Amino acid sequence: MIALFLRDLKLAMRAGGGALIGVLFFMTVVAVVPFAVGPDLNLLSRIGPAILWIGALLASLLGLDRLFQAEREDGSLDLMLMQEMPLVLTVLVKCLAHWAATGLPLVIAAPLLGLFMNMSEIAIGATMLTLLVGTPAITFIGASGAAVAVTLPRGGLLVSILVLPLAIPVLIFGVSAAYAAVHDPAPFLPPLLILIAITLFFAVIGPLAAALALRSASD
């Protein structure tokens, strides 16, 4: 499992720019917002957590279609289906490697972009924590969409369409927790715990659904 994690981490970093493409897209989405809403610093600080979350969500969707595509093209997907290790665990490890290569850099880049949006230290810390907790859920959800579209030569748009509606609760509670940390008396802990619960739920359901979809695609 460790070898599979390291292998997928290297492949994710190499394929299409890996983390760099996601971070650049994240920065681009956040950078264009002041041009659209104007130079009002108070307004930017208020909408900052929501903009960071929207940018992270869109950036997370970029490389989901490549989660199983390389294995499908070189034939190693068939070996994954026949190996002794349960396919669900294989998918889980691949999801963790994909998040470490694409999702974790977004979390690391969030404080810098938070300063760009004139956010306070509390808002930046809360947003970074919610991104750390919530972005794995997007990867787990995306695994099932990537498995459904694995047989398609260009399934990137289909994966985004399948994943985006399911990722809306992650976005809602992530932004709610970030705002609750700044605006009293709104509680911070309840939406954060719900966000953690959503991530844990999809950590079980996502790999299981992806494994079933991969077996159906092989048939």
Side-chain angles (χ1 to χ4, degrees):
M1 294 179 65
I2 296 176
L4 178 63
F5 178 85
L6 295 177
R7 168 189 173 274
D8 277 52
L9 185 61
K10 292 178 181 179
L11 290 177
M13 294 293 291
R14 293 174 183 173
L20 181 60
I21 295 297
V23 171
L24 289 178
F25 183 82
F26 187 27
M27 295 176 62
T28 302
V29 171
V30 176
V32 299
V33 171
F35 296 99
V37 302
D40 189 346
L41 296 181
N42 293 327
L43 177 60
L44 291 176
S45 63
R46 287 198 302 270
I47 66 175
I51 298 302
L52 290 182
W53 254 102
I54 292 173
L57 174 60
L58 296 178
S60 299
L61 298 177
L62 286 180
L64 288 176
D65 60 313
R66 298 193 299 268
L67 194 56
F68 305 107
Q69 198 65 43
E71 285 79 5
R72 176 72 179 182
E73 293 174 353
D74 61 15
S76 58
L77 181 59
D78 296 330
L79 298 177
M80 290 170 49
L81 296 173
M82 294 185 295
Q83 65 183 355
E84 295 181 359
M85 187 171 69
L87 184 59
V88 176
L89 292 180
T90 302
V91 174
L92 178 62
V93 173
K94 289 179 66 64
C95 290
L96 294 176
H98 180 83
W99 177 81
T102 60
L104 187 58
L106 302 180
V107 179
I108 297 174
L112 177 61
L113 297 178
L115 294 176
F116 184 77
M117 296 295 294
N118 196 39
M119 294 167 55
S120 63
E121 292 81 0
I122 297 177
I124 292 175
T127 304
M128 187 176 181
L129 178 60
T130 55
L131 287 174
L132 180 64
V133 172
T135 48
I138 301 174
T139 302
F140 293 132
I141 297 171
S144 57
V148 170
V150 70
T151 57
L152 302 178
R154 295 181 180 178
L157 181 59
L158 177 60
V159 173
S160 300
I161 294 174
L162 292 175
V163 172
L164 193 56
L166 297 175
I168 294 301
V170 181
L171 176 66
I172 292 174
F173 287 103
V175 176
S176 299
Y179 278 132
V182 180
H183 303 289
D184 292 331
F188 170 70
L189 194 57
L192 180 64
L193 292 178
I194 294 175
L195 184 62
I196 295 174
I198 292 174
T199 299
L200 294 177
F201 174 78
F202 282 113
V204 177
I205 300 299
L208 180 60
L212 294 175
L214 289 175
R215 292 196 181 278
S216 299
S218 65
D219 296 337

